[in-house]
Amino acid sequence: MRRYKLTFLLVFVPSMLGSGISRIKDSGWSLIWGVLELALGVAISVGAIGEIREGLKRRREEGERKDGP
């Protein structure tokens, strides 16, 4: 589990996206903050998905080595 650094942050992504969407409707600094929240939420999601895919790939390769000749 030490290899997963962003996956635990997925818990916060739904609230960040909701908050970001509601802030975009405002103007000024609130708009900028909303865009930053959305960008951070998307970046965390993309990074976590990459970590999960690498972990699954690594497990699959380890399983093939154990089953192989």
Coordinates of all heavy atoms in Angstrom, one line a residue:
M1 N 0.8 -1.2 0.0 CA 0.0 0.0 0.0 C 0.8 1.3 0.0 O 0.3 2.3 -0.2 CB -0.9 0.0 1.2 CG -2.1 -0.9 1.1 SD -3.2 -0.5 -0.3 CE -4.0 0.9 0.3
R2 N 2.1 1.2 0.3 CA 2.9 2.4 0.3 C 3.1 3.0 -1.1 O 3.4 4.2 -1.2 CB 4.3 2.0 0.8 CG 4.3 1.8 2.3 CD 5.7 1.5 2.8 NE 5.7 0.2 3.5 CZ 6.6 -0.7 3.5 NH1 7.7 -0.5 2.7 NH2 6.5 -1.8 4.1
R3 N 2.8 2.3 -2.1 CA 3.0 2.8 -3.5 C 1.9 3.8 -3.8 O 2.0 4.5 -4.8 CB 3.1 1.7 -4.5 CG 4.3 0.8 -4.2 CD 4.3 -0.4 -5.2 NE 5.4 -1.2 -4.9 CZ 5.4 -2.5 -5.0 NH1 4.3 -3.1 -5.5 NH2 6.4 -3.3 -4.8
Y4 N 0.8 3.7 -3.2 CA -0.4 4.6 -3.5 C -0.3 5.9 -2.6 O -0.4 5.8 -1.4 CB -1.7 3.9 -3.2 CG -1.9 2.6 -4.0 CD1 -1.7 1.4 -3.5 CD2 -2.3 2.8 -5.4 CE1 -1.9 0.2 -4.3 CE2 -2.4 1.6 -6.1 CZ -2.3 0.4 -5.6 OH -2.5 -0.7 -6.4
K5 N 0.0 7.0 -3.3 CA 0.1 8.2 -2.6 C -1.1 9.2 -2.8 O -1.3 10.0 -1.9 CB 1.4 8.9 -3.1 CG 2.6 8.1 -2.8 CD 3.9 8.8 -3.3 CE 5.1 7.9 -3.0 NZ 6.3 8.4 -3.7
L6 N -1.8 9.1 -3.9 CA -2.9 9.9 -4.2 C -4.2 9.3 -4.0 O -5.3 10.0 -3.9 CB -2.8 10.4 -5.6 CG -1.7 11.4 -6.0 CD1 -1.7 11.7 -7.5 CD2 -1.8 12.7 -5.2
T7 N -4.3 8.0 -3.9 CA -5.5 7.3 -3.9 C -6.4 7.7 -2.7 O -7.6 7.8 -2.8 CB -5.3 5.8 -3.9 OG1 -4.5 5.4 -5.0 CG2 -6.6 5.0 -4.0
F8 N -5.8 7.9 -1.5 CA -6.6 8.2 -0.3 C -7.2 9.6 -0.5 O -8.2 9.9 0.2 CB -5.7 8.2 0.9 CG -4.8 9.3 1.1 CD1 -5.1 10.4 1.8 CD2 -3.5 9.3 0.5 CE1 -4.3 11.5 2.0 CE2 -2.7 10.3 0.6 CZ -3.0 11.4 1.4
L9 N -6.7 10.5 -1.4 CA -7.3 11.8 -1.6 C -8.6 11.7 -2.4 O -9.3 12.7 -2.4 CB -6.3 12.7 -2.3 CG -5.1 13.1 -1.4 CD1 -4.1 13.9 -2.3 CD2 -5.4 13.9 -0.2
L10 N -8.9 10.6 -2.9 CA -10.2 10.5 -3.7 C -11.4 10.7 -2.8 O -12.5 11.0 -3.3 CB -10.3 9.1 -4.4 CG -9.4 8.9 -5.6 CD1 -9.5 7.4 -6.1 CD2 -9.9 9.8 -6.7
V11 N -11.3 10.6 -1.5 CA -12.4 10.8 -0.6 C -12.8 12.3 -0.7 O -14.0 12.6 -0.5 CB -11.9 10.5 0.9 CG1 -13.0 10.8 1.9 CG2 -11.6 9.0 0.9
F12 N -11.9 13.2 -0.9 CA -12.2 14.6 -0.9 C -12.6 15.1 -2.3 O -13.1 16.3 -2.3 CB -10.9 15.4 -0.5 CG -10.4 15.0 0.9 CD1 -9.3 14.3 1.0 CD2 -11.2 15.4 2.0 CE1 -8.8 14.0 2.3 CE2 -10.7 15.0 3.3 CZ -9.6 14.3 3.4
V13 N -12.4 14.4 -3.3 CA -12.7 14.9 -4.7 C -14.2 15.3 -4.9 O -14.5 16.3 -5.4 CB -12.2 13.9 -5.7 CG1 -12.7 14.2 -7.1 CG2 -10.7 13.8 -5.7
P14 N -15.2 14.5 -4.4 CA -16.6 14.9 -4.7 C -16.9 16.2 -4.1 O -17.6 17.0 -4.7 CB -17.4 13.7 -4.1 CG -16.5 12.6 -4.1 CD -15.1 13.1 -3.9
S15 N -16.5 16.5 -2.8 CA -16.8 17.8 -2.2 C -16.0 18.9 -2.9 O -16.6 20.0 -3.0 CB -16.5 17.7 -0.7 OG -15.1 17.5 -0.5
M16 N -14.8 18.6 -3.4 CA -14.1 19.7 -4.1 C -14.7 20.0 -5.4 O -14.8 21.2 -5.7 CB -12.6 19.2 -4.3 CG -11.8 19.1 -3.1 SD -10.2 18.4 -3.5 CE -9.5 19.5 -4.6
L17 N -15.2 19.0 -6.1 CA -15.9 19.3 -7.4 C -17.2 20.0 -7.2 O -17.5 21.0 -7.9 CB -16.1 18.0 -8.1 CG -14.8 17.2 -8.6 CD1 -15.2 15.9 -9.3 CD2 -14.0 18.1 -9.5
G18 N -17.9 19.6 -6.2 CA -19.2 20.3 -5.9 C -19.0 21.8 -5.5 O -19.7 22.7 -5.9
S19 N -18.0 22.0 -4.6 CA -17.7 23.3 -4.2 C -17.1 24.2 -5.4 O -17.5 25.4 -5.5 CB -16.6 23.3 -3.1 OG -16.2 24.6 -2.7
G20 N -16.3 23.6 -6.2 CA -15.8 24.3 -7.3 C -16.8 24.7 -8.3 O -16.8 25.8 -8.8
I21 N -17.8 23.8 -8.6 CA -18.9 24.1 -9.5 C -19.8 25.2 -8.9 O -20.2 26.1 -9.7 CB -19.7 22.8 -9.8 CG1 -18.9 21.9 -10.6 CG2 -21.0 23.2 -10.5 CD1 -19.5 20.5 -10.8
S22 N -20.0 25.2 -7.6 CA -20.8 26.3 -7.1 C -20.1 27.6 -7.1 O -20.7 28.7 -7.2 CB -21.3 25.9 -5.7 OG -20.2 25.9 -4.8
R23 N -18.8 27.6 -6.9 CA -18.0 28.9 -6.9 C -17.9 29.5 -8.3 O -17.7 30.7 -8.5 CB -16.6 28.6 -6.4 CG -16.6 28.4 -4.9 CD -15.2 28.2 -4.4 NE -15.2 27.7 -3.1 CZ -14.9 28.4 -2.0 NH1 -14.7 29.7 -2.1 NH2 -14.9 27.9 -0.8
I24 N -17.9 28.6 -9.4 CA -17.8 29.1 -10.7 C -18.9 30.1 -11.1 O -18.7 31.0 -11.9 CB -17.7 28.0 -11.7 CG1 -16.3 27.3 -11.6 CG2 -18.0 28.4 -13.1 CD1 -16.0 26.3 -12.6
K25 N -20.0 30.0 -10.5 CA -21.2 30.8 -10.8 C -21.0 32.2 -10.3 O -21.6 33.2 -10.7 CB -22.5 30.2 -10.2 CG -22.8 28.9 -10.8 CD -24.0 28.3 -10.1 CE -24.2 26.9 -10.7 NZ -25.3 26.2 -9.9
D26 N -20.1 32.4 -9.3 CA -19.8 33.7 -8.8 C -18.7 34.4 -9.6 O -18.3 33.9 -10.7 CB -19.2 33.6 -7.3 CG -20.2 33.0 -6.4 OD1 -21.4 33.1 -6.6 OD2 -19.8 32.3 -5.4
S27 N -18.3 35.6 -9.2 CA -17.3 36.3 -10.0 C -16.2 36.7 -9.1 O -16.2 36.6 -7.9 CB -17.9 37.6 -10.6 OG -18.4 38.4 -9.6
G28 N -15.1 37.2 -9.7 CA -13.9 37.7 -8.9 C -13.1 36.5 -8.4 O -12.9 35.5 -9.2
W29 N -12.5 36.6 -7.2 CA -11.6 35.6 -6.7 C -12.3 34.3 -6.5 O -11.7 33.2 -6.5 CB -11.0 36.1 -5.4 CG -10.0 37.2 -5.6 CD1 -10.1 38.5 -5.3 CD2 -8.7 37.0 -6.1 NE1 -9.0 39.2 -5.6 CE2 -8.1 38.3 -6.1 CE3 -8.0 35.9 -6.6 CZ2 -6.8 38.5 -6.6 CZ3 -6.7 36.1 -7.1 CH2 -6.1 37.4 -7.1
S30 N -13.6 34.3 -6.2 CA -14.4 33.1 -6.0 C -14.4 32.2 -7.3 O -14.3 31.0 -7.2 CB -15.8 33.4 -5.6 OG -16.5 32.3 -5.2
L31 N -14.5 32.9 -8.4 CA -14.4 32.2 -9.7 C -13.0 31.5 -9.9 O -13.0 30.3 -10.2 CB -14.7 33.1 -10.8 CG -14.4 32.6 -12.3 CD1 -15.5 31.5 -12.6 CD2 -14.5 33.7 -13.3
I32 N -12.0 32.2 -9.6 CA -10.6 31.7 -9.7 C -10.4 30.5 -8.7 O -9.9 29.5 -9.1 CB -9.6 32.8 -9.5 CG1 -9.7 33.8 -10.6 CG2 -8.2 32.2 -9.4 CD1 -8.8 35.1 -10.3
W33 N -10.9 30.6 -7.5 CA -10.8 29.6 -6.5 C -11.6 28.4 -7.0 O -11.1 27.2 -6.8 CB -11.3 30.1 -5.2 CG -11.1 29.1 -4.1 CD1 -12.0 28.3 -3.5 CD2 -9.8 28.7 -3.5 NE1 -11.4 27.5 -2.5 CE2 -10.1 27.8 -2.5 CE3 -8.5 29.2 -3.7 CZ2 -9.1 27.2 -1.7 CZ3 -7.5 28.6 -2.9 CH2 -7.8 27.6 -2.0
G34 N -12.8 28.6 -7.6 CA -13.6 27.4 -8.1 C -12.9 26.7 -9.2 O -12.9 25.5 -9.2
V35 N -12.2 27.4 -10.1 CA -11.5 26.8 -11.2 C -10.3 26.0 -10.6 O -10.0 24.9 -11.1 CB -11.0 27.9 -12.2 CG1 -10.1 27.3 -13.2 CG2 -12.2 28.5 -12.9
L36 N -9.6 26.6 -9.6 CA -8.5 25.9 -9.0 C -9.0 24.6 -8.3 O -8.3 23.6 -8.4 CB -7.8 26.8 -8.1 CG -7.0 27.9 -8.7 CD1 -6.4 28.8 -7.6 CD2 -5.9 27.3 -9.6
E37 N -10.1 24.6 -7.6 CA -10.6 23.5 -7.0 C -11.0 22.4 -8.0 O -10.7 21.2 -7.8 CB -11.9 23.8 -6.2 CG -11.6 24.4 -4.8 CD -12.9 24.6 -4.0 OE1 -13.9 25.1 -4.6 OE2 -12.8 24.3 -2.8
L38 N -11.6 22.8 -9.1 CA -11.9 21.8 -10.1 C -10.7 21.2 -10.7 O -10.6 20.0 -10.9 CB -12.8 22.5 -11.2 CG -14.2 22.8 -10.9 CD1 -14.9 23.6 -12.0 CD2 -15.0 21.5 -10.6
A39 N -9.7 22.0 -11.0 CA -8.4 21.5 -11.6 C -7.7 20.6 -10.6 O -7.2 19.5 -11.1 CB -7.5 22.7 -12.0
L40 N -7.7 20.9 -9.4 CA -7.1 20.0 -8.4 C -7.8 18.7 -8.2 O -7.2 17.6 -8.2 CB -7.0 20.7 -7.0 CG -6.3 20.0 -5.9 CD1 -4.8 19.7 -6.3 CD2 -6.3 20.8 -4.6
G41 N -9.1 18.8 -8.2 CA -9.9 17.5 -8.2 C -9.7 16.6 -9.4 O -9.6 15.4 -9.2
V42 N -9.6 17.2 -10.5 CA -9.4 16.4 -11.7 C -8.0 15.8 -11.7 O -7.7 14.7 -12.1 CB -9.6 17.3 -13.0 CG1 -9.1 16.6 -14.3 CG2 -11.1 17.6 -13.2
A43 N -7.0 16.6 -11.3 CA -5.6 16.2 -11.2 C -5.5 15.0 -10.2 O -4.8 14.0 -10.5 CB -4.7 17.3 -10.8
I44 N -6.1 15.1 -9.1 CA -6.1 14.0 -8.1 C -6.7 12.8 -8.7 O -6.2 11.7 -8.5 CB -6.8 14.4 -6.8 CG1 -5.9 15.5 -6.0 CG2 -7.0 13.2 -5.9 CD1 -6.6 16.1 -4.8
S45 N -7.8 12.9 -9.3 CA -8.5 11.8 -9.9 C -7.6 11.1 -11.0 O -7.5 9.9 -11.0 CB -9.8 12.2 -10.6 OG -10.7 12.7 -9.6
V46 N -7.0 11.9 -11.9 CA -6.2 11.3 -12.9 C -5.0 10.6 -12.3 O -4.6 9.5 -12.7 CB -5.8 12.4 -13.9 CG1 -4.7 11.9 -14.9 CG2 -7.0 12.9 -14.7
G47 N -4.3 11.3 -11.3 CA -3.2 10.6 -10.7 C -3.5 9.4 -10.0 O -2.8 8.4 -10.0
A48 N -4.6 9.4 -9.3 CA -5.0 8.2 -8.5 C -5.4 7.0 -9.5 O -5.1 5.9 -9.2 CB -6.2 8.5 -7.6
I49 N -6.1 7.4 -10.6 CA -6.4 6.3 -11.6 C -5.1 5.7 -12.1 O -5.0 4.5 -12.3 CB -7.3 6.9 -12.7 CG1 -8.7 7.2 -12.1 CG2 -7.4 6.0 -13.9 CD1 -9.6 8.0 -13.0
G50 N -4.1 6.6 -12.4 CA -2.8 6.1 -12.9 C -2.2 5.1 -11.9 O -1.6 4.1 -12.2
E51 N -2.2 5.5 -10.6 CA -1.6 4.7 -9.5 C -2.3 3.3 -9.4 O -1.7 2.3 -9.3 CB -1.7 5.4 -8.2 CG -0.7 6.5 -8.0 CD -0.8 7.2 -6.7 OE1 -1.8 6.8 -5.9 OE2 0.0 8.0 -6.3
I52 N -3.7 3.4 -9.5 CA -4.4 2.1 -9.4 C -4.1 1.2 -10.6 O -3.9 0.0 -10.5 CB -5.9 2.4 -9.3 CG1 -6.2 3.1 -8.0 CG2 -6.8 1.2 -9.5 CD1 -7.6 3.7 -7.9
R53 N -4.1 1.8 -11.8 CA -3.7 1.0 -13.0 C -2.4 0.4 -12.9 O -2.2 -0.8 -13.3 CB -3.9 1.8 -14.3 CG -5.3 2.2 -14.6 CD -5.4 3.0 -15.8 NE -5.1 2.1 -17.0 CZ -4.8 2.5 -18.2 NH1 -4.7 3.8 -18.4 NH2 -4.5 1.7 -19.1
E54 N -1.4 1.1 -12.4 CA 0.0 0.6 -12.3 C 0.0 -0.5 -11.2 O 0.7 -1.5 -11.4 CB 1.0 1.7 -11.9 CG 1.3 2.7 -13.0 CD 2.0 2.0 -14.1 OE1 2.9 1.1 -13.9 OE2 1.7 2.3 -15.3
G55 N -0.7 -0.3 -10.1 CA -0.8 -1.4 -9.1 C -1.4 -2.7 -9.6 O -0.9 -3.8 -9.4
L56 N -2.5 -2.5 -10.4 CA -3.1 -3.7 -11.0 C -2.2 -4.4 -12.0 O -2.1 -5.6 -12.1 CB -4.4 -3.4 -11.7 CG -5.6 -2.9 -10.7 CD1 -6.8 -2.4 -11.5 CD2 -5.9 -4.1 -9.8
K57 N -1.5 -3.6 -12.8 CA -0.6 -4.1 -13.7 C 0.6 -4.9 -13.1 O 1.0 -6.0 -13.5 CB 0.0 -3.0 -14.6 CG 0.9 -3.4 -15.7 CD 1.3 -2.1 -16.5 CE 2.3 -2.4 -17.6 NZ 2.7 -1.2 -18.3
R58 N 1.1 -4.3 -12.0 CA 2.2 -4.9 -11.2 C 1.7 -6.2 -10.6 O 2.4 -7.2 -10.6 CB 2.6 -3.9 -10.1 CG 3.9 -4.3 -9.5 CD 4.4 -3.3 -8.5 NE 4.4 -1.9 -9.0 CZ 3.6 -0.9 -8.5 NH1 2.7 -1.2 -7.6 NH2 3.6 0.3 -9.1
R59 N 0.5 -6.3 -10.0 CA 0.0 -7.5 -9.5 C -0.2 -8.6 -10.5 O 0.1 -9.8 -10.3 CB -1.3 -7.2 -8.8 CG -1.2 -6.6 -7.5 CD -2.6 -6.5 -6.8 NE -2.5 -5.6 -5.6 CZ -3.5 -5.1 -5.1 NH1 -4.8 -5.3 -5.5 NH2 -3.4 -4.3 -4.0
R60 N -0.7 -8.2 -11.7 CA -0.9 -9.1 -12.8 C 0.5 -9.7 -13.2 O 0.6 -10.9 -13.4 CB -1.6 -8.4 -13.9 CG -2.1 -9.4 -15.0 CD -2.8 -8.7 -16.1 NE -3.8 -7.8 -15.6 CZ -3.9 -6.5 -15.9 NH1 -3.0 -5.9 -16.7 NH2 -4.8 -5.7 -15.5
E61 N 1.5 -8.9 -13.3 CA 2.8 -9.4 -13.7 C 3.4 -10.3 -12.6 O 4.0 -11.3 -12.9 CB 3.8 -8.2 -13.9 CG 3.4 -7.4 -15.2 CD 4.3 -6.2 -15.3 OE1 5.0 -5.8 -14.4 OE2 4.2 -5.5 -16.4
E62 N 3.2 -10.0 -11.3 CA 3.7 -10.8 -10.3 C 3.0 -12.2 -10.3 O 3.6 -13.2 -10.0 CB 3.5 -10.2 -8.9 CG 4.5 -9.0 -8.7 CD 4.2 -8.2 -7.4 OE1 3.2 -8.6 -6.7 OE2 4.9 -7.3 -7.2
G63 N 1.7 -12.2 -10.6 CA 0.9 -13.4 -10.6 C 1.3 -14.3 -11.8 O 1.4 -15.5 -11.7
E64 N 1.7 -13.7 -12.9 CA 2.2 -14.4 -14.1 C 3.5 -15.0 -13.8 O 3.8 -16.2 -14.2 CB 2.3 -13.5 -15.3 CG 0.9 -13.1 -15.9 CD 1.0 -12.2 -17.0 OE1 2.1 -11.8 -17.4 OE2 0.0 -11.8 -17.5
R65 N 4.4 -14.4 -13.0 CA 5.7 -14.9 -12.7 C 5.5 -16.1 -11.8 O 6.3 -17.1 -11.9 CB 6.5 -13.8 -12.0 CG 7.2 -12.9 -13.0 CD 8.2 -12.1 -12.3 NE 7.8 -10.7 -12.6 CZ 7.9 -9.7 -11.8 NH1 8.4 -9.9 -10.6 NH2 7.6 -8.5 -12.2
K66 N 4.6 -16.0 -10.8 CA 4.4 -17.2 -9.9 C 3.8 -18.4 -10.6 O 4.1 -19.5 -10.3 CB 3.5 -16.7 -8.8 CG 4.1 -15.8 -7.8 CD 3.1 -15.4 -6.7 CE 3.7 -14.3 -5.8 NZ 2.8 -13.8 -4.8
D67 N 2.9 -18.1 -11.6 CA 2.3 -19.2 -12.3 C 3.1 -19.8 -13.4 O 2.9 -20.9 -13.9 CB 0.9 -18.7 -12.9 CG -0.1 -18.4 -11.8 OD1 0.1 -18.9 -10.7 OD2 -1.0 -17.6 -12.1
G68 N 4.1 -19.0 -13.9 CA 4.9 -19.4 -15.0 C 5.9 -20.6 -14.7 O 6.0 -21.0 -13.5
P69 N 6.7 -21.0 -15.7 CA 7.6 -22.1 -15.4 C 8.7 -21.8 -14.6 O 9.2 -20.9 -14.3 CB 8.1 -22.5 -16.8 CG 7.7 -21.4 -17.7 CD 6.6 -20.6 -17.0

